[in-house]
Amino acid sequence: VEKATCSENFYGSRAPSPQILGHASASGHASTFFGQDTSAPAPWYQMERVIWQRCTAIVFDICGQSYDTHECVANYETCLNILEAACIEHKAHLHCLVGDRAILSLNTPRLLNSAHRMCAARLLLQVMSNWKALPTVATCKLLGAAMTQRVHCSAWKGHNLLLGDSVDTCLAILRVADQVCTTDVLIDSGLYDELQYSFHCRIVNILALHPKSA
């Protein structure tokens, strides 16, 4: 690895320059299996301005479906269209898709939403209601979880970033949802404290997922 030089980043601190990137081989003509030349270091992309603000993350997961049939593709396509319609209506961003799991975010810098907690609740209920009305609900189920938290929001090469524990906590909550065999959406304590006065909420379980949520 070559000696790194430093440059100022958007925080005003010292950050490694692209020269810190090493080469897999010191000899020339290193190439990938696509035949692309990798002798030059990869370009260095900085994240956009980082903002510390409260956002709400939502994670949906399709469970129990068989992946060796065409039905699973139809289920996934239906779910995507339900999510797209809900995101448009409630000012949410479809953050990313990982397999049959979808991650949504509300009140990010690119799509501000001061009512993100209430919109998250309405989005959850709308998606679950539309899903339960489908004939495929008998073969698989849709789980949903949400959490609100202050996170570092940014973007990198057009990809929105949420730097915090919110998505990990939602995934942990989804595991609880599967264990208790619920078809209702689950939320963290922060959302529960605010939404219990506007929606019918009940405590399912109390878990110490990390110091900022229970």
Side-chain angles (χ1 to χ4, degrees):
V1 177
E2 300 172 351
K3 183 178 180 180
T5 59
C6 292
S7 59
E8 297 289 329
N9 65 6
F10 47 80
Y11 277 122
S13 60
R14 307 298 286 181
S17 72
Q19 281 75 18
I20 198 172
L21 298 175
H23 302 296
S25 174
S27 61
H29 309 295
S31 61
T32 67
F33 57 88
F34 288 116
Q36 298 171 339
D37 184 18
T38 58
S39 59
W44 187 273
Y45 299 97
Q46 279 194 330
M47 291 192 301
E48 296 181 9
R49 184 169 63 95
V50 178
I51 299 177
W52 174 251
Q53 71 180 34
R54 185 170 292 278
C55 302
T56 299
I58 300 175
V59 178
F60 287 102
D61 198 4
I62 302 176
C63 301
Q65 67 175 341
S66 175
Y67 293 98
D68 58 354
T69 64
H70 292 290
E71 186 180 17
C72 72
V73 178
N75 290 341
Y76 191 54
E77 182 179 19
T78 301
C79 183
L80 291 179
N81 282 279
I82 291 175
L83 291 176
E84 175 72 7
C87 285
I88 294 174
E89 182 173 347
H90 301 290
K91 293 185 65 175
H93 174 70
L94 185 54
H95 210 73
C96 68
L97 301 169
V98 183
D100 51 9
R101 180 173 293 157
I103 301 174
L104 286 64
S105 58
L106 294 92
N107 198 37
T108 56
R110 291 187 172 184
L111 188 59
L112 295 175
N113 186 348
S114 59
H116 58 98
R117 300 175 189 87
M118 297 292 290
C119 286
R122 295 190 179 101
L123 187 152
L124 285 163
L125 295 175
Q126 176 179 323
V127 169
M128 298 303 291
S129 176
N130 291 340
W131 177 263
K132 292 177 182 179
L134 298 173
T136 56
V137 72
T139 59
C140 57
K141 61 180 178 179
L142 181 67
L143 301 178
M147 177 186 182
T148 186
Q149 184 190 45
R150 285 193 176 275
V151 297
H152 292 290
C153 302
S154 183
W156 183 79
K157 290 187 65 178
H159 301 283
N160 288 325
L161 303 176
L162 291 182
L163 306 179
D165 298 328
S166 54
V167 173
D168 292 335
T169 301
C170 285
L171 295 176
I173 295 175
L174 284 180
R175 288 195 290 270
V176 176
D178 191 34
Q179 291 174 2
V180 299
C181 299
T182 181
T183 56
D184 296 322
V185 295
L186 297 181
I187 57 178
D188 79 316
S189 58
L191 277 174
Y192 175 84
D193 291 340
E194 179 168 337
L195 299 179
Q196 63 176 320
Y197 303 107
S198 302
F199 297 87
H200 177 67
C201 304
R202 62 186 179 90
I203 297 179
V204 176
N205 207 336
I206 298 177
L207 301 173
L209 299 175
H210 58 71
K212 297 181 181 179
S213 179

